[in-house]
Amino acid sequence: MDKEILDFFNTDLQYIHGVGPVLASKFNDVLGGRRVLDFLLHAPSYVRPREILDSVTNAQTGDTITISLLIKSHKRGGVFRGRRRPTQIVCADKFAAPVTIQFFNVNYLDYWTEKLPIGQWRIVSGKLDFSHNTGAIINHPEFIETPENAHKIPKHQAIYPSGEGLTQKTFSNVRDQIFNTIHERIATKQFSDRMLEFIDALEHVHYPMSNDDLAPNGTYMAKLAYCELFAHQTAIAINRRARKEQKNQRPIRAKKYDLIDRFYSILPFELTGAQQRTIDEIFADFQKPVPMMRLVQGDVGSGKTMVAMAAAIKMAESGAQSVLLAPTDTLAQQHFAKLAPMCEKLGLVCDVLTGRDKGAQRREKLISLRSGRTKLAIGTHALFSEDVEYKDLGLVIIDEQHRFGVAQRTAMREKGNNPDMLALSATPIPRTLSMTIYGDMDVSIINEKPAGRIPIKTSKISVMRTNALIDRIAPQIENGAKVFWVCPLVEESEISDMTAAQSRFDELKKRFPHTGLCHGQMDKKERDKVMAEFADKNSEMRVLVSTTVIEVGIDVPSATIMVIENAERFGLAALHQLRGRVGRGSLQSYCILLYGNNITPDGLKRLDVLCETEDGFAIAEQDLMMRGVGELLGTKQSGWIQYHFVDYREHRDLFRLASSAARDSEPDTMTRDLMYIFDCGVNVGA
Ligand code: ADP
Ligand code: MG
C-alpha cells in the first residue's frame, strides 16, 4: 500500500515544478542521485535564524540579516577598462544608514530596476559585509520582498550542504514542492503507520525549528538514523545468510587459455606485496562456489587498477567477460587509455562504452559484447543499459564503489549468471567501523604504496602569505612543474564560488599566462577540454585553477604541486583525496594548505594531521575522533559517504540496537521499503 509513495520518491527531480534537466543534474552532483528520494535523504546541516534588524549600525560582517531598505539609486555594473564592476543598488535603512546591494556578473540593470524601484521600501535578507568605500554591503541577497510579502522570508532557514550552481533558495523551493506533493498523496491514499511516521520525521528534519532538530540525538534525526541502521543491518544479515546457505552458486568455468603469467611478464613494474596478496585473495575466491563479494580498500595511488586488471585477466582465462565500471566518462576513458594497450599485448579485446557512443559505433560495440568477443568492457552506467547483453559476464568491477547505488549494482548482476563482484574504494574506513558497514563483504586492504614513491611534502601557511607562496613556486613552474590550485566551495552561493576561483585565476594569469580555469558553471565539454589540456604532457598549461570539480581519480602524473585554498573548509578525507592528485610520478611533490584568518585551533590541528601523515587509514581514524558534532560537513566534502542520518560517533548505541534487532528476523514490508529507501542490501530479493 505504500507503493504510491515509493513511486513518488523515485521520481526524477527534473519533473519537480521549477527544476528541469539542468538543475536536476546539478542536484545529482551534490546529492549523488537525482531522485526525490536523494533529496529527502539530504538533511540540512544547520538552522540559520534570520534576525530582523532596524539598522545595520550594530550588525557585524558575516551576520545574516533581514532589513527594510529604501532604494535611493542604481549604479550600472559591467566591465570597465578590463575590470569587472558589480551592479550596485544604493539604499538606506530606517535610520538613514547607507546600505549597498551588489550583484556580480550582471551587466544589465533592467531586471533589478524592476525588483528594486527607486523611492520604494523593500525587505531584503542576506549576508552582511562592510567595505571601506561603501559601508554596509549585501551581496546577492537571498530574499527581496515588498513589505506586504515580508512573511515570505523564513524566520528559521534550513541551510543545506550545497554545491556549485545551487542556491539555498533553490533547495527550499524544491523541498516545498516535494512536501506539498507528499501531503496531497497522504490526503488521498492510505499509507501504513510506520511509513507515515517515517515521513513525519523526514519533514521535521527538512523544516527544522532550531539546531536541536538537526542534532544527531534529536528526536527525529535519531529516529531516521535508527531506520537507516536497521535497514543496513537487515540487509547485511540477509546477505550473510544467503551466502552461507550458498543459494546462488557461481558457475565453475574451465580454464582455456594461459594469460596470467604473460600479464605478469609484461607489467612495467613489480607488484607490491599488498597488491600481490590482494590478487591471491581474489583468485582464491574464484575457486569457490559462492560468488565473490570483495571490497578492495586502498589509498589513492596504491595501485588498485592493476589488481582489478589481474582479476579481469584471470577471468578471461576461461573465456568469460569482465566489466570495469567507472563513475564518470573521463575516468572510463582514462582507464581505457591505460589498459587497452596491455590487453592488446595479451591478445584480449578491450572496449570502452559510455554515453558518448551513439549510432553505428555503439551498435558495433554491443555486437562484440553479445558475441563474447570483447573480454574487458570499460565504461559508465551505459554498460548496463537495457539493450546491452553479454555472452558470459563473469566479473563486475566497480571503481570508487560508493558512487553506484544498489539498483545499478543489481542491474549489472542481472546481466550475468551470478557474476563475481569486486569493488574498489579509496575512501578508507577505519577498521573499527568496517565490520558494521561491510559485514557482508570480504575486505582486502592495500596498505603499501608502490616502491620509489617519494613522500609528498605537506605544509600549512596562512592565506596572508599567498604572494610569498606564488614567488616561491614561480621558478618551479618555469621549470615545467604543474600546479593544481583548488578553491573551495562556498556553502551558499554558487556565484561566490565562481568568483573565488575566477579572481584567483585572473590574478595567476597575470603571472602565468597559460593558466587554465575549471569550475562547475562551465559546460562539461569545456571543462573536460581544459582538464585534458592540463593533463597533456606537451601543453603549455602549467597551472589549473579549479573548484573541487577536479575529479576523483584523475591522473596527471606530471603534476607536482597542489595548493588548496581555505583548506580548513574541507574535511580531512577530502583533503587527503585532493592531495592524492600529486605525488604520482618520480619527482618530489608538494601540497600547500592555505588557511584563512578565521581558522579555529581545532581546524589547525586537523591540518597538522595532514602535514604529519599520508596514511589514509590513520587520517580516517583521526577524522572520526576529531569530527565535532557541530562541525557538520556536507557528505560530499567530508568524504564519508555511506550514511545519510547516522553519525559514527553519536550513534554507537543505535548501531548495536539495530544490529541485534536485525539479526534473525525476516524483513516485513516496511523493512523492505526501508532497505529500498536506504539503498542497501546487495542481494535483497535475490
Ligand atoms: P589507485 O589505487 O588510486 O586507483 P592507480 O591504480 O591509478 O591507483 O595507480 C596509480 C599509479 O601507480 C598508476 O600510474 C599505476 O600504473 C602505478 N602503479 C600501480 N602499481 C604499481 C607498482 N606496483 N609499482 C609502480 N607503479 C605502480
Ligand atoms: Mg583508481
Side-chain angles (χ1 to χ4, degrees), residues 267-272 275 298-307 334-335 338 399-400 424-426 446 449-451 453 553 555 557 580-581 584:
L267 267 181
F269 42 68
E270 288 271 313
L271 291 171
T272 64
Q275 280 174 315
D299 226 332
V300 188
S302 61
K304 294 184 289 294
T305 318
M306 274 313 136
V307 169
Q334 202 173 294
H335 277 316
K338 213 152 193 186
D399 197 13
E400 302 303 339
L424 312 178
S425 172
I446 306 188
K449 289 260 165 95
R453 284 286 153 77
D555 198 17
R581 306 292 116 232
R584 304 192 138 219

Side-chain angles (χ1 to χ4, degrees), residues 76-96:
R76 190 173 293 273
V79 179
F80 297 96
R81 291 193 214 100
R83 302 201 50 180
R84 229 177 301 263
R85 236 187 271 162
T87 288
Q88 295 183 323
I89 318 287
V90 181
C91 314
D93 69 21
K94 283 184 186 156
F95 293 86

Side-chain angles (χ1 to χ4, degrees), residues 236-249 289-291 439-440 663-664 683:
I236 286 173
I238 293 175
N239 282 341
R240 211 186 281 130
R241 258 179 284 158
R243 290 187 75 199
K244 227 188 263 159
E245 291 158 17
Q246 304 195 348
K247 268 194 200 151
N248 308 309
Q249 301 253 331
V290 244
D440 58 335
R663 194 159 301 144
D664 298 310
N683 272 328

